[in-house]
Amino acid sequence: MYKAVKNNPLAAAGIATGAYLVVSNIIKTFLHKNDRQADTVIDELAAAKKAGQVPTLAKSEALGFADALYHAGSGESLFGTDEDAMYNVFKKVKNKADVLLIIKEFGSRRLWFSFVSSGLSGYLNDELNPSELAVLNSILRAKKIAYQF
C-alpha cells in the first residue's frame, strides 16, 4: 500500500484530507462538550431574571467584555494570551446573570489558529491552562457566582 500511495499523489492527498477531517472532528467534539448552547444560556438567563437576578451590565457593555475576552487571546499578541485582561473582565461582573449575558454576547467565535468556532466556555478552555482556569473560577466563587468554566 505504501508504494501505491507514494507513487500516486492524489491518493496521498485523499488520505491526508481524510485524516485532517477525522482529527478536526475529534477536536471540535472535545471543545464543544464544555460549551453551553445559545438556547441553554438564553433559558438560564430567563430563569435568573425570573428568580429576581437581573444583569447589572448593559447589552453593549457585555458585548464589550466579550470582545475584550476574545482579543486577550493568543492570536492578538506576539506574547500569547493576556490572562490578566481575562481575569479583569470577570472581576467586573456582579452576578451569574452578568456572566450569562457575556456568554450570550460572545456567541460562537473562531478559535485562534484554528478552523473551529466555539462559545466562550470552549474558547476559555482553549486559551487558558487548568491552573489559569482555576484562578478565573476562583474570582467567580469569591463573588458567590454559581458558575464555573
Side-chain angles (χ1 to χ4, degrees):
M1 179 165 160
Y2 173 73
K3 264 187 177 180
V5 172
K6 181 180 175 190
N7 295 330
N8 185 347
L10 205 52
I15 290 171
T17 301
Y20 168 78
L21 291 173
V22 168
V23 170
S24 67
N25 279 332
I26 290 169
I27 291 170
K28 192 183 305 182
T29 301
F30 172 75
L31 289 174
H32 286 284
K33 79 175 185 179
N34 289 326
D35 270 354
R36 299 213 176 175
Q37 298 298 322
D39 293 343
T40 305
V41 171
I42 291 169
D43 291 346
E44 284 185 69
L45 195 50
K49 286 179 182 178
K50 193 174 185 177
Q53 187 179 91
V54 296
T56 64
L57 304 173
K59 184 178 177 180
S60 60
E61 220 175 349
L63 179 58
F65 284 162
D67 290 343
L69 289 167
Y70 188 69
H71 294 299
S74 60
E76 289 280 312
S77 169
L78 294 173
F79 304 107
T81 302
D82 185 351
E83 296 87 3
D84 290 331
M86 291 184 173
Y87 301 152
N88 287 334
V89 166
F90 290 100
K91 287 177 182 176
K92 295 175 185 173
V93 300
K94 295 191 173 37
N95 60 33
K96 183 178 176 180
D98 287 346
V99 174
L100 294 171
L101 186 58
I102 293 170
I103 293 169
K104 179 180 173 236
E105 293 305 316
F106 188 90
S108 182
R109 300 185 188 198
R110 187 180 61 79
L111 300 175
W112 295 109
F113 310 112
S114 171
F115 297 110
V116 177
S117 292
S118 181
L120 183 57
S121 182
Y123 179 75
L124 292 174
N125 278 277
D126 184 59
E127 288 292 326
L128 302 174
N129 67 40
S131 64
E132 293 163 342
L133 273 173
V135 170
L136 188 150
N137 286 328
S138 71
I139 291 168
L140 296 175
R141 274 193 309 277
K143 294 172 165 271
K144 298 191 184 341
I145 295 173
Y147 193 95
Q148 301 289 284
F149 287 100

